Amino acid sequence: MRIAVLNFPGSNCELDTIYVLRRLLNLDAELVWHEAFDRSGYDAAILPGGFSYGDYLRAGTIAAHSPAMKHVRAMADEGKPVIGICNGFQMLTEAGLLPGALLRNEGLSFVCRWVSLRVESNRSALTWLLPKGAIIRLPIAHAEGRYVNERRAIRELWRNGQVILTYVDELGNPTPDANPNGSMDNIAGICNERGNVVGLMPHPERGAEGVLSPFGSEDGLMLFESLLYFMNGGDRICGAG
Amino acid sequence: MPEELDYVIGQLGREPNRIELGMLELMYSEHCSYKSSRPILKILPREGPRVLVGPGYDAGIVDIGNGYVVAFKIESHNHPSAIDPYNGAATGIGGIVRDILCTNCRPVALLDSLRFGPPRKGRTKWLLKYVVKGISDYGNRIGVPTVAGEVEFDESFETNCLVNVACVGIGRRDSIVLAKMESPGDYIVLMGSSTGRDGIHGVTFASKTITAESEEERPSVQIGDPFMKKMIIEATLEAVATGFVAGLKDLGGAGLTCALSEMSFKGGTGVEVELERVHLREEDMTPYEIMLSESQERMLFVVKPEGLERVLGVFRKWGLPHSVIGRVTDTGEILVKYRGEVVARLPSKLLAEAPVLHRRAKRPRDLAKALKVPKPREPKDLGRALVRLLSSPNIASKEPIYSQYDYEVGIRTIVKPGDGDAAVLRLLEEPRAIAVKADCNSRHCRLDPFNGHAGAVAESARNVVAVGAEPIAAVDCCNFGNPERPEVFWQFSEGIRGLSYMLEGLGIPCVGGNVSFYNEDERTGRAVNPTTVVVTLGLVEELDWVTTMAFKEHGDEIFAVGRTYAEMGGSEYYHWIHGISGGRPPRASPGRERSSMAIVKEAIRRGLIDAAHDCSKGGIAVALAIMAIKGGLGIDVDLGRIPRSGVGRLDELLFSESYARFVISARPGSARELRAIAERHGGAISRLGRVVDSSELFMRYGGRAIRCGLGELREAWNGSMRRYLGEL
Amino acid sequence: MREYLVEVIIQNKEMAKDPEGETIERDLIHRGGYDSIRAVRSGKYLRMLVKADGPERAREIVVKMCNELRLFNPVVHSCSVKVRASGRKGGD
Amino acid sequence: MREYLVEVIIQNKEMAKDPEGETIERDLIHRGGYDSIRAVRSGKYLRMLVKADGPERAREIVVKMCNELRLFNPVVHSCSVKVRASGRKGGD
Ligand SMILES: Nc1ncnc2c1ncn2[C@@H]1O[C@H](COP(=O)(O)OP(=O)(O)O)[C@@H](O)[C@H]1O
Ligand SMILES: [Mg+2]
C-alpha cells in the first residue's frame, strides 16, 4: 500500500501528514512534488493542508489547475482514495471532484481552534471505521472553510450519506454557535458517491496524538486507520453500513 | 552627520561619491550600526555553556543537546506598522523568519509582542485589526505557527504602536551556516524576489520619528509575499543540504549594501559584484537604487564554485528567480561595478563598523514625583474590582487575537496559546520540548527602568518555568524614544543595566537582540514607555513535566510561592480601577526569583504539581481567577495565608504585582514535601486552600469574604476583548 | 494588434451570501451618518492587459480564460468581464 | 432624491508590488496557456446603492465613507470611486 502525499508550492501540512502516516501507522507514505506526480504505483493520494500558491485568488484554485490534478482525477475515477484535508478539500471542490464551494468564513477572519464533530456517515474512506453519531475532536485552522452549495444539492448529499462530518457542540447538536465558519448545515466534510474522494476542513493529522490534544484525544488517528481499511477493502469492525 | 563624514574622508583619503555616500549613510544609521546603543549593550551577559552563536549575528544559537540547536531572535517593526499596519506587521514576520532561516535552522515558531494605545480609540482598533491580520495572513501562509505573544495597551503607544516579532528555529549542530564570506573565489548568489524601488531608505526611516510627512514617504512601504517566502524557506533548506553553501544572509535593512559588507567583514574578505546581473523588477533602476533597495523576500548565498550548478538547480526546481552577482575576493573591499564601470569601492570595515556615539544620559526630572502617589481608598466591593480587572484590556483573554493565528501547524505545539504561561513545542525526533514566551510590563519600566527591565527578564523566565522548562537563553528587543534626548538615553542605559542584573542573577545568557529608537511622536514629543521585550527560551527534558495553568481536579490544594509586598506602583489595579499611573513598581530580586523558580521546577519534576501560573498583571487574585476559569472549577482559599511582608490592606494583598511569585496546585497531601522543597531553596510557600467542585471563587481574609461567580468572571475575562474592539 | 485593459469582477451569488458586504454595511449603520448607503456587495477585482484584434476579441479571450481556468466557481460566483480602455499599441 | 449605483475599487498602488496578481498571472494564466494576457493586478471591489441629490454628491458620500471607515490605506492603496448607473428613484 503506497500513499502519495502531494506537495504543492505553498502546502504546509505535508510533513505533518507524512509524520502521522509513517511514524504512527507505519505506512509507506511518500512526499511527491506536484510536478513529478504520476499516479502509477500509488494506492491513494492525499492533498494536504496549507496555502498552495499562497491561496491567491481563492484557496485551492491555482493548484486545482496544476497537471498533478489530472492524475488525481484519474485515481478518483479508478476508485482509489483521494483525500483532501483543508486546503486539499478546497482543491477538490475547485477542481470539481467534490461538489460545492468553500468560501471565506462568515466571521471574515482566520480561525484556529479545536472543534467537536459528529460522524454523519461512514460511507467515506476516512470514516469507514467510525460509528455513525460518534463525536470526535479535531482542530481547524482556515480562513476559507464555509461550505456552500445549492440547497437541492445539499439535500442530495445528505440523502446519499455524502455528508460525513458536521460541527457540533459538546452535546452533539449542530448549533450556530458550534459552527466556526458559517458552513451550510454545519458541514465540515463530504465525500463523493463512491466514498473514495473525501474532503474535510478539520486536520486529522493534528489530532492524532494525545500529547497534541487539549482533550488527550487521538481521534485523527481513527480517520487514517479507516483509510487503511478502506484501501484493503476491509470489513467494518463497528457501526452499521 | 558632519563628524561621520570627516571620519569617512579621513579613512578613505578622498570624498566618497554619491553611491558610496548613500551606502555609508544607511550603514551608519542607528538601525544598522547600533551606534548609540553599542557601548551600553556590551554589558549584557552573553556567555554560557550552551551558547554557540551570540549577539552580532542574525540569530543567537544555543545547543540543546543530542546534536540539536535552537536559533532564535526578536525584531521590531514599529515604524512600518504605524503607517501600514497590515504590510508592516507582515514584513516584520518575513524579516525575522529570514534571520532564523539563514542559520540553516527550520523556523518552527513565531511570537508577537504588540503594544497599542487605549483600545477604544479608532486608531487603536485600526492598528490592532490590521497588525493581527498582517501577522495572520503572513505567518499562517508560510506554515510557521504563531504560538505565543502578549498585547499591552497604554496611552504612550497611541501614535507609535510597537510590533515586535520573534522566531524560533530548530536545526542540527553540525549544519549551522553563518553569515560570513570566508573563501575568496566563492560565488555570490542573490535569490528570491526581484529587486525593486520599494523600501529605499527604509532604515533611515526607521531611525526617525513619525511626522505628518511619514505618510507621504511612500517608497518605504514594503509589501510581503508569503507565498514566495514559503518557497524561499523550502528552497534554502534544500540548497544548504547540498553542502555547497558556505555562507548565507537575508537582505533586510540596507539591502545588498548591508549583506555584502557585513558578510565580507565577518569573514575577513572582500567582494566584487556586477550590478547589471541583479534581477530587477523595474528595468531602469540606477546602481544607487539597486544597492540600497530593501525589497522583501531576498536571500544572499555564498556558494562554493564546484557546487554552483547544484545550488542553482534547487532554485530552479522551486521556480525561484536568482542571479549570480559576483564573487568573494581577498581585498577587504566592496567593489561594485555596473556595466563595466566601478561605481563604488569601499573597505568592508568602514561600512560594517560605524563609529560609536557616546550619548548623554539624565534621569527625568519628574520621575521622583511620579513614584510618590497617595494610596487610593480601598473599594468596598473587592469582588467587583476583581471582575472589572479581569475585563481590563491588559488582562482580558487575548483569544480573539491568537485564534487568528495557526498555532498548530508543524504538530509541535503541545501547550497552546492561552493554556499555559509559555508555549511548549515538542521536538519531533525525541521526547523533549522547548518553551518560549515574550514579556514586558512597560508601565513598570517607565516608572523604574532598572527594576522594570529586570522584571521583564524575570517574568519571561518564570513563564517558561511554569510550564516545566529550564530557562537556557534569552533575546531582547528594546523600544525607546529618541536617544538624542538624555532622558530617553537614561531610560535605555538603566534598562539595559536592569536586564543585565537579572540575566546574570539567573544565569541566563543573552544571545541576541534588537534596538528600536525614535519611537516618539515628533509633534508632541511624547515617547513610548521604555519597553524591552524579553523572550526566554526554556528546555523541557521530559514531556511529563509539561504543565498548564488550568486547575485540574477538585480536592487539589492551592499554594502560593514567593512573598507578596505592597508593591502597587504601575499596577493594572491602580491604573484600571483607580486611574492612577504612578507609584513605585515592584523591586526585582534575582535571589527571590531563583528560589521561587527552583521550588516550582523541583515540584514539577517530582510530579507534585497539577497546575502552575506566574503572578503578573493583576496579582494573585487574577492568577487564581484565571486558573479557576480555565479549569471550570471553583476555589476555597484563605488569603490570610499568603506569604507577605508589610502588606496592610486586602486590596494590596489581592492585586500587588510583586515579582518572584507563582500560584500552583498540587495533589492532596503534597504540602509537607512542598514545604521541604521550599525550605531547601530558601523560598516562601504556603497552602491557601483547595480547588472545589463549585462555580465560585470563595476567598476569606480574617472576618471578610469575597465571593465571585465563575460565570461572571469568565464573561468578564473572555468577552471583553471582542467588546472593546468590535469584530476583529 | 493592440492591448486592451480588461476588468474582471467576481462576486458571490445571492445564495452564497456576502459576509464582507454585510459587515461593511453593518459598520456603516453602526457608526451612524451613512444611512443613505445600502445594499453593499463585495467582490474580487482583477485587471489585466490583453493583446487582441479588437475590444470584442479581448473580451472573448478573457471570458474564455475565466471559464476554462475557473477564475470563478459557477455554483457560487457570478463573473463579469468588461473592456475598460480602448486599445493602445501592444508592447513587444 | 434618487439612488445611485456606486462602485469602489481598492488596489495596491501602481508602484507597489502585487504578489497576488503576479502569482495569478504566472501560475494560473500563463500556465494555462493564455500568453496574450499580462500585467494582472488584483484588488477589492465594492458596490453599493447611495441615496443622494445627484451623482456628484453620491460620489462624495462614498469617498468620505471609505476614508472614515478606513476601507483603504492611502499609504499603500489607491481607491477609485465611480458612479456607475445614473439615478433611479430612491426606495423607501
Ligand atoms: N499577541 C499574541 N499572540 C499570540 N498569543 C498571545 C498574544 N497575546 C497573548 N497571547 C497568549 O495568551 C496567553 C496569556 O498571555 P499574557 O497575557 O501575556 O499572560 P501572562 O500575563 O500570564 O504572561 C499566553 O498563552 C500568550 O502566549
Ligand atoms: Mg504569565
Side-chain angles (χ1 to χ4, degrees), chain B residues 63 72 90-91 100 160 209 237 265 278 315 341 358 382 404 452 457 461 567 616 644 701:
Chain B
D63 192 331
F72 71 125
T91 54
I100 299 309
N160 296 79
T209 47
L237 296 173
F265 177 62
V278 172
F315 300 161
E341 255 175 67
H358 293 278
L382 286 170
Q404 296 186 48
V457 172
E567 295 176 310
S616 54
R644 62 190 186 276
Y701 182 69

Side-chain angles (χ1 to χ4, degrees), chain A residues 84-176:
Chain A
I85 301 168
C86 194
N87 196 225
F89 186 13
Q90 292 158 340
M91 290 177 206
L92 292 175
T93 56
E94 286 289 325
L97 283 167
L98 285 175
L102 291 152
L103 301 183
R104 191 158 170 205
N105 295 349
E106 199 160 52
L108 301 179
S109 35
F110 189 95
V111 181
C112 180
R113 66 161 143 128
W114 281 69
V115 293
S116 298
L117 301 153
R118 189 171 66 200
V119 178
E120 301 289 354
S121 156
N122 48 20
R123 167 170 200 165
S124 82
L126 272 195
T127 50
W128 200 246
L129 292 182
L130 281 85
K132 237 165 113 167
I135 309 287
I136 62 172
R137 282 168 159 149
L138 294 175
I140 55 162
H142 59 248
E144 297 176 45
R146 177 165 59 103
Y147 184 76
V148 173
N149 204 341
E150 275 154 12
R151 226 9 322 149
R152 194 158 24 91
I154 289 188
R155 271 198 299 274
E156 184 79 15
L157 290 179
W158 278 111
R159 197 161 336 109
N160 294 340
Q162 288 176 252
V163 173
I164 60 163
L165 294 169
T166 52
Y167 302 106
V168 293
D169 65 11
E170 312 269 276
L171 305 171
N173 300 313
T175 57

Side-chain angles (χ1 to χ4, degrees), chain B residues 112 148-151 398 402 405 417-418 420 437 439 459 463 613 616:
Chain B
D112 62 330
E150 49 152 6
V151 190
K398 306 300 182 296
Y402 60 67
Y405 304 148
K437 179 70 167 76
D439 281 297
E459 187 182 348
N463 280 329
H613 188 21
S616 54

Side-chain angles (χ1 to χ4, degrees), chain B residues 112-114 146-151 394-396 398 401-402 405 416-423 437-439 459 463 549 613-614 616-617:
Chain B
D112 62 330
S113 213
L114 313 175
T146 302
V147 297
E150 49 152 6
V151 190
N394 281 325
I395 288 177
K398 306 300 182 296
I401 293 168
Y402 60 67
Y405 304 148
K416 305 169 204 291
D419 289 349
D421 275 347
K437 179 70 167 76
D439 281 297
E459 187 182 348
N463 280 329
M549 65 167 90
H613 188 21
D614 94 306
S616 54
K617 284 200 173 98

Side-chain angles (χ1 to χ4, degrees), chain B residues 168-440:
Chain B
V168 181
I170 298 180
R172 296 289 304 174
R173 181 171 176 154
D174 54 16
S175 58
I176 296 172
V177 177
L178 290 178
K180 274 190 191 176
M181 296 175 172
E182 288 182 307
S183 312
D186 283 356
Y187 283 101
I188 301 172
V189 183
L190 183 61
M191 179 269 259
S193 272
S194 52
T195 298
R197 288 204 171 87
D198 41 350
I200 289 174
H201 279 300
V203 294
T204 34
F205 173 65
S207 308
K208 271 193 285 190
T209 47
I210 291 201
T211 61
E213 297 91 76
S214 294
E215 307 234 334
E216 294 303 313
E217 296 191 44
R218 304 273 154 84
S220 300
V221 172
Q222 301 160 357
I223 292 183
D225 183 351
F227 172 50
M228 174 79 92
K229 172 59 56 62
K230 168 69 176 156
M231 297 204 289
I232 288 176
I233 293 174
E234 301 304 331
T236 299
L237 296 173
E238 201 173 313
V240 177
T242 63
F244 294 114
V245 175
L248 181 56
K249 187 171 169 61
D250 68 306
L251 270 72
L256 212 42
T257 300
C258 177
L260 291 172
S261 51
E262 287 192 356
M263 288 181 86
S264 57
F265 177 62
K266 287 224 167 83
T269 57
V271 297
E272 184 174 331
V273 294
E274 297 174 347
L275 291 186
E276 68 276 13
R277 295 173 178 271
V278 172
H279 53 289
L280 300 178
R281 199 161 74 242
E282 292 149 278
E283 274 162 28
D284 56 342
M285 285 176 64
T286 63
Y288 178 89
E289 290 170 326
I290 298 169
M291 284 306 287
L292 270 46
S293 161
E294 293 182 6
S295 289
Q296 290 290 306
E297 327 302 1
R298 299 181 299 163
M299 301 285 285
L300 197 69
F301 286 76
V302 180
V303 184
K304 295 181 190 147
E306 65 274 22
L308 185 66
E309 265 316 301
R310 281 277 302 282
V311 169
L312 298 187
V314 173
F315 300 161
R316 280 186 210 111
K317 168 188 160 187
W318 288 91
L320 287 167
H322 53 271
S323 34
V324 181
I325 63 169
R327 299 185 82 153
V328 179
T329 65
D330 60 3
T331 60
E333 278 185 341
I334 308 288
L335 180 69
V336 184
K337 289 181 172 173
Y338 184 67
R339 299 191 173 148
E341 255 175 67
V342 174
V343 293
R345 177 175 209 150
L346 291 170
S348 312
K349 183 172 163 44
L350 186 66
L351 283 161
E353 282 204 321
V356 297
L357 293 172
H358 293 278
R359 305 253 188 222
R360 225 159 50 81
K362 189 169 136 262
R363 186 185 161 92
R365 222 177 299 123
D366 50 1
L367 198 55
K369 209 168 72 210
L371 295 180
K372 283 205 214 79
V373 294
K375 288 194 176 188
R377 284 227 339 250
E378 185 177 288
K380 274 207 201 66
D381 188 346
L382 286 170
R384 267 274 16 95
L386 173 58
V387 172
R388 275 182 62 202
L389 206 50
L390 282 170
S391 77
S392 135
N394 281 325
I395 288 177
S397 167
K398 306 300 182 296
E399 194 267 346
I401 293 168
Y402 60 67
S403 65
Q404 296 186 48
Y405 304 148
D406 184 351
Y407 49 76
E408 303 264 3
V409 61
I411 52 171
R412 291 186 181 85
T413 320
I414 57 177
V415 175
K416 305 169 204 291
D419 289 349
D421 275 347
V424 181
L425 298 145
R426 64 168 172 170
L427 305 185
L428 290 177
E429 300 77 10
E430 36 184 272
R432 296 193 297 154
I434 56 171
V436 274
K437 179 70 167 76
D439 281 297
C440 180

Side-chain angles (χ1 to χ4, degrees), chain B residues 415-713:
Chain B
V415 175
K416 305 169 204 291
D419 289 349
D421 275 347
V424 181
L425 298 145
R426 64 168 172 170
L427 305 185
L428 290 177
E429 300 77 10
E430 36 184 272
R432 296 193 297 154
I434 56 171
V436 274
K437 179 70 167 76
D439 281 297
C440 180
N441 183 323
S442 77
R443 286 199 188 124
H444 290 179
C445 290
R446 180 178 67 85
L447 292 165
D448 184 341
F450 178 85
N451 281 295
H453 281 73
V457 172
E459 187 182 348
S460 80
R462 275 198 310 272
N463 280 329
V464 155
V465 165
V467 295
E470 167 81 34
I472 58 171
V475 293
D476 67 284
C477 189
C478 306
N479 305 269
F480 289 84
N482 180 347
E484 294 155 37
R485 302 208 301 162
E487 290 80 7
V488 168
F489 205 68
W490 178 82
Q491 293 177 326
F492 176 68
S493 44
E494 281 296 288
I496 299 301
R497 258 192 349 106
L499 292 181
S500 275
Y501 174 65
M502 187 57 75
L503 286 167
E504 227 147 85
L506 298 179
I508 301 175
C510 172
V511 297
N514 174 255
V515 179
S516 167
F517 282 130
Y518 300 96
N519 294 289
E520 66 180 55
D521 187 332
E522 204 163 70
R523 245 171 338 107
T524 61
R526 169 132 205 215
V528 296
N529 285 347
T531 307
T532 298
V533 174
V534 178
V535 174
T536 300
L537 172 72
L539 188 56
V540 193
E541 292 286 1
E542 306 218 1
L543 293 184
D544 278 348
W545 297 346
V546 172
T547 306
T548 56
M549 65 167 90
F551 285 136
K552 304 292 181 309
E553 211 149 346
H554 64 91
D556 277 0
E557 297 183 329
I558 301 170
F559 295 80
V561 178
R563 201 164 284 281
T564 301
Y565 300 81
E567 295 176 310
M568 307 305 291
S571 67
E572 194 59 26
Y573 169 71
Y574 264 24
H575 188 265
W576 189 250
I577 305 292
H578 297 289
I580 298 172
S581 57
R584 190 175 288 283
R587 202 191 342 252
S589 153
R592 278 192 282 129
E593 297 287 356
R594 271 199 309 270
S595 302
S596 295
M597 290 182 202
I599 294 169
V600 173
K601 265 190 296 196
E602 188 172 342
I604 285 177
R605 285 166 195 214
R606 291 208 194 174
L608 300 173
I609 291 190
D610 267 354
H613 188 21
D614 94 306
C615 293
S616 54
K617 284 200 173 98
I620 222 163
V622 164
L624 285 167
I626 292 176
M627 294 170 88
I629 293 170
K630 288 266 165 196
L633 288 163
I635 62 167
D636 177 350
V637 294
D638 179 358
L639 299 169
R641 297 188 177 205
I642 297 173
R644 62 190 186 276
S645 302
V647 186
R649 290 166 46 163
L650 181 51
D651 63 342
E652 293 178 348
L653 194 56
L654 287 167
F655 305 124
S656 160
E657 295 181 4
S658 289
Y659 300 149
R661 295 181 304 159
F662 294 88
V663 175
I664 59 179
S665 75
R667 229 65 53 66
S670 315
R672 270 190 49 197
E673 205 176 341
L674 284 169
R675 273 194 209 104
I677 293 171
E679 200 157 310
R680 197 144 12 91
H681 295 296
I685 193 167
S686 160
R687 191 166 67 93
L688 306 185
R690 291 177 182 283
V691 178
V692 292
D693 190 9
S694 78
S695 53
E696 74 171 4
L697 239 56
F698 181 53
M699 302 187 282
R700 280 166 286 128
Y701 182 69
R704 298 168 69 181
I706 299 169
R707 287 170 183 273
C708 296
L710 220 46
E712 184 187 16
L713 295 166

